[in-house]
Amino acid sequence: MKLSVVIPAYNEEKTILSILHKVADVKLINDFQKEIIIVNDCSKDKTEEQVLSFQNLHPDESIVYYRQPENRGKGAAIHKG
């Protein structure tokens, strides 16, 4: 079994690393696998750089990253994830 954690992000430069560390630190029971899905909803700040840095520093984490070409809102970001 796999748990997918979808994180919609829009201009989260100041908070995204804290969120990713908290989600990555969660240990699941009964051999459940975890994947982190981040959907950047066309952020104008350095959210993408923060996510890519985290991804490079944590190659053991299952991380999927999507970037929306235009801001479509949280619902669309969750749907994409």
Side-chain angles (χ1 to χ4, degrees), residues 13-56:
E13 173 184 0
K14 295 179 182 176
T15 59
I16 194 70
L17 287 179
S18 173
I19 293 165
L20 292 173
H21 280 289
K22 287 178 183 179
V23 173
D25 287 346
V26 172
K27 304 297 181 218
L28 301 177
I29 61 171
N30 296 331
D31 296 325
F32 271 72
Q33 301 299 310
K34 172 180 52 180
E35 71 176 341
I36 303 170
I37 302 171
I38 305 147
V39 182
N40 183 351
D41 199 22
C42 198
S43 294
K44 305 295 184 207
D45 64 0
K46 294 183 180 180
T47 298
E48 181 169 32
E49 289 88 344
Q50 298 281 22
V51 170
L52 296 177
S53 173
F54 183 88
Q55 196 172 23
N56 287 333

Side-chain angles (χ1 to χ4, degrees), residues 3 10-11 18 26 37-38 51 58 62 65 70 72 75 79:
L3 173 68
Y10 178 72
N11 291 341
S18 173
V26 172
I37 302 171
I38 305 147
V51 170
H58 298 87
S62 175
Y65 178 68
E70 61 185 30
R72 299 179 57 213
H79 187 265

